C-alpha cells in the first residue's frame, strides 16, 4: 500500500505519488526550476505535475524566452 496519495499529473494524467510533506523524496524534486520558470508553470497549473512534464514545461519556457 502506498504511503502517500497517488494523484494524476495535472498536465498528462500520469499517476504520481504525491510526497508534498516529504518534498526532498518526491519525484518532482529532481527538476530544478528558477523563480521565473516556477511562475510560468504556476500561471497554467495549480496541482502537482510529474517530473517529465516539469522538464517539458521548463524547456518550453526556455524556448519562449530564447526567441
Amino acid at each position: 500500500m502506498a504511503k502517500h496519495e497517488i494523484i494524476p499529473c495535472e498536465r498528462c494524467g500520469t499517476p504520481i505519488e504525491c510526497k508534498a510533506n516529504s518534498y526532498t523524496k518526491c519525484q518532482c524534486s529532481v527538476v530544478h526550476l528558477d523563480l521565473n520558470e516556477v511562475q510560468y508553470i504556476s500561471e497554467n497549473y495549480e496541482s502537482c505535475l510529474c517530473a517529465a512534464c516539469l522538464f517539458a514545461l521548463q524547456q518550453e519556457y526556455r524556448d519562449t524566452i530564447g526567441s
Side-chain angles (χ1 to χ4, degrees), residues 4 10 12-13 18 24 26 29 38-39 45 51 61 64 66:
H4 302 279
E10 184 179 350
C12 72
C18 181
T24 58
C26 192
S29 68
V38 170
Q39 183 176 355
Y45 300 96
Y61 173 77
T64 300

Side-chain angles (χ1 to χ4, degrees), residues 1-56:
M1 176 174 238
K3 185 176 180 180
H4 302 279
E5 182 180 9
I6 303 296
I7 60 170
C9 169
E10 184 179 350
R11 182 171 180 254
C12 72
T14 298
I16 53 176
E17 188 175 3
C18 181
K19 296 181 181 177
N21 59 344
S22 299
Y23 173 74
T24 58
K25 297 177 184 175
C26 192
Q27 53 85 37
C28 65
S29 68
V30 300
V31 185
H32 302 283
L33 303 169
D34 67 26
L35 185 59
N36 292 326
E37 293 164 345
V38 170
Q39 183 176 355
Y40 174 77
I41 293 169
S42 67
E43 288 173 358
N44 297 298
Y45 300 96
E46 294 181 7
S47 189
C48 290
L49 299 168
C50 68
C53 284
L54 287 172
F55 278 122

